[in-house]
Amino acid sequence: MSLQLSRFLSTKGIRIPTEDKRRLLLYAACAQAASQKLGIPISPSWHMGELLPALCRSIPHYEIKDAAFALSAATPWDRLQENQDLAWEMENLREYLIHSRCATPEWLRQQVDELYFFGSASGGIYSTPPALRQLIAALAARRPAARVNDLCSGTSLLGLQVWDALGASPDVSYRGWERDPYLCTLSRMLLFLCGVRDFFVQGGDAADWRQPADAPKKAVYVADLPLVGSHTLYLQEDDLPFQTSRRLYFDWAVIYAVLDQMQEGEQAFFVVTSGALVRKNEAELRQKLLEQRLIRAVITLPAGLCPSHSLPTALLVCEKRRNPPQEVLFADIPGGAVCGKRQSLTQEDIREVCRLFDGLPSPSLSSQTALPKEGSLNPALYLTQEAPAGRRVQLKEVASVTRGLQLRPDHPRGQGPCCLLNVRDILDDQICYETAERIEYGTDTWERRYRIQEDDIILTSKGTALRMVIVPPHPPHAYISGNLTILRSNPRRYHPYLLYEYLRSEAGLAALSLIQTGTTIRVLGVAALEGLTVPDGDPALMEQRGGILKDLTLRHRAEAERLQQAYREQKRKLLENIYDREETTV
């Protein structure tokens, strides 16, 4: 069994920063891989920092020589001077690599995976999940290409996998864009050692990418974007003609830059968060791209693919061709294979996705071709079952929807007579007034719009999880903050307790999840809530049944509270003085 660098030094009792250890180990691995590739034995007299520059001295490509010197300069050799045990272990590692000759290109790529993907839980993710790389490569290989354009390339492992799938041919070139200088250098060395002849890795922001002058006839584009979406860019109006707002999140800035410059017959694969598929900020842009028929497919990926984050992700597939279909393929990969504590994709999953791209039905993956609505690319919106039978009505026709207030910094707060409710004060089916911020009385507008009333339904409009509560009788003087929303139902048209029960039901929660935007912070907008459809019925019957349901609910809560108080009191009495006793003397 070949040596795994990620486990080396882990049991040696040597404590150094993770990134320093990564750089030391990768330098040693790259040096031995270069020695084996070039057929140059490593002299025992060479200092470790001299290995790569000495090995690459005879290579005619300046970029490789520069990468060798840059890798050596970026490696923390001072750690070896500070710690003799570390220096001794690194020397042992070098001797092991020399004698075992295990540093093949395949082994080197595995080590980068181990150190930057499986070992990245405490830091940023620089390596796309291996199974996801296989899926993208399998899809990309279905159409020939002369170049791989890898934006946000990181370690370049994703682009390398696609390059392999295209035949690992000298005729296929590679171009990468990466912001991190060390990863740029590592990628250049890795590409050289893995046999890519024509490559270039450019440092800088992928959103500034422009099609190079030497672009071949056809290219394939890949970008893994989940952890960069929250970065906001401000663009000139001429740069983004389809966007009314000049603010654009980084992920869509990269996607638009690619799609705007793609040539006919090319395709692109973007790994994005689910929020990027539904964010309001890019709704118009998504709609325009759909009208241009550039969106080919959206595939929901299993949760837990990446060890460094738990964001829900999807694969967005785009292509430019002469007669594209109007409809978009939506599919869901539920997951099932488990690697350690993470979900993974199976080979069967990859085969079934390829079947869908061939126009064949998949027996194991839910899928649907559909014409997207209002620029939303959320697969769940199109993969759900048909709407329940019966009449439906929009929420705005039976209830008012009011987002909470944004308190001015100079408004008196701290010891006032009123409560300002926030997300933390909305618990499971109850309101905790004791934890609420105290403020002074508000204006007449506050009283009309933001003060809670009996039977109001309060929803969290911002937060990591959706919470809701219906206000019981006789609430204290309280307002809602901007992170909450009030649904105030007309009881003669739609009783609030019936509306509350529907929203809490499985069907209601599913409907709310489809209109939420955002990723880690979920957002429920007023317009989305107003357009939500809910089951409708006979108003008179709903008013009668709703009144009975309210009385039943309040009596149940009162009885539950009475039993809880009785339980606490009896438990207190049972435990009282039970451990007190007089010490006896012998």
Side-chain angles (χ1 to χ4, degrees), residues 109 113-114 117-118 125 127-140 157-158 161-162 165 224 269 271 299-307 313 315 333 335-339 342-354:
R109 287 160 73 167
D113 239 349
E114 290 285 339
F117 174 67
F118 297 108
I125 179 169
S127 182
T128 306
L132 180 53
R133 294 202 304 266
Q134 292 181 34
L135 172 62
I136 294 173
L139 295 175
L157 288 179
L158 172 56
Q161 187 102 23
V162 176
D224 190 349
F269 301 87
V271 183
I299 303 168
T300 301
L301 302 171
L305 272 180
C306 302
T313 54
L315 178 61
I333 303 177
V338 178
C339 179
R342 297 176 303 276
Q343 290 279 357
S344 186
L345 304 177
T346 66
Q347 294 302 312
E348 180 65 21
D349 291 333
I350 295 173
R351 283 193 294 269
E352 291 305 310
V353 172
C354 290

Side-chain angles (χ1 to χ4, degrees), residues 31-267:
Q32 181 56 34
S35 172
Q36 292 180 206
K37 178 181 178 66
L38 301 172
I40 303 174
I42 294 177
S43 172
S45 63
W46 289 347
H47 180 269
M48 284 195 71
E50 301 172 346
L51 293 182
L52 268 179
L55 289 166
C56 298
R57 187 179 296 120
S58 61
I59 298 174
H61 302 291
Y62 173 77
E63 188 175 12
I64 305 303
K65 296 179 181 179
D66 183 64
F69 280 101
L71 270 182
S72 180
T75 304
W77 302 116
D78 55 322
R79 295 289 180 185
L80 303 185
Q81 299 173 359
E82 298 168 357
N83 192 320
Q84 291 301 315
D85 290 337
L86 176 62
W88 177 262
E89 293 299 338
M90 289 301 298
E91 190 63 34
N92 289 340
L93 172 63
R94 180 168 73 161
E95 292 182 7
Y96 176 87
L97 292 175
I98 291 173
H99 294 300
S100 67
R101 297 190 62 80
C102 66
T104 62
E106 294 74 18
W107 176 85
L108 184 59
R109 287 160 73 167
Q110 291 174 3
Q111 306 318 303
V112 176
D113 239 349
E114 290 285 339
L115 291 167
Y116 273 107
F117 174 67
F118 297 108
S120 65
S122 60
I125 179 169
Y126 299 111
S127 182
T128 306
L132 180 53
R133 294 202 304 266
Q134 292 181 34
L135 172 62
I136 294 173
L139 295 175
R142 307 177 83 74
R143 185 176 300 177
R147 173 170 291 175
V148 179
N149 287 320
D150 190 356
L151 294 94
C152 302
S153 54
T155 57
S156 292
L157 288 179
L158 172 56
L160 263 174
Q161 187 102 23
V162 176
W163 181 80
D164 278 344
L166 292 172
S169 168
D171 298 328
V172 180
S173 59
Y174 173 95
R175 297 294 182 269
W177 284 263
E178 173 54 44
R179 197 182 306 178
D180 187 309
Y182 176 77
L183 291 176
C184 281
T185 301
L186 178 64
S187 293
R188 292 166 188 149
M189 184 57 64
L190 187 62
L191 290 162
F192 165 70
L193 295 174
C194 290
V196 184
R197 294 185 184 178
D198 181 4
F199 68 86
F200 180 73
V201 182
Q202 179 176 327
D205 203 320
D208 298 328
W209 173 82
R210 292 295 179 268
Q211 187 76 268
D214 65 338
K217 291 183 178 180
K218 285 187 180 180
V220 60
Y221 305 81
V222 295
D224 190 349
L225 301 169
L227 294 185
V228 298
S230 59
H231 176 47
T232 306
L233 300 176
Y234 290 86
L235 305 179
Q236 299 296 327
E237 293 181 5
D238 293 341
D239 293 338
L240 199 58
F242 300 129
Q243 189 74 8
T244 54
S245 172
R246 292 176 60 188
R247 187 184 71 174
L248 194 66
Y249 286 95
F250 183 86
D251 45 15
W252 273 104
V254 174
I255 294 170
Y256 179 76
V258 171
L259 298 186
D260 186 48
Q261 301 174 72
M262 268 175 55
Q263 303 176 38
E264 185 176 315
E266 294 182 334
Q267 55 185 344

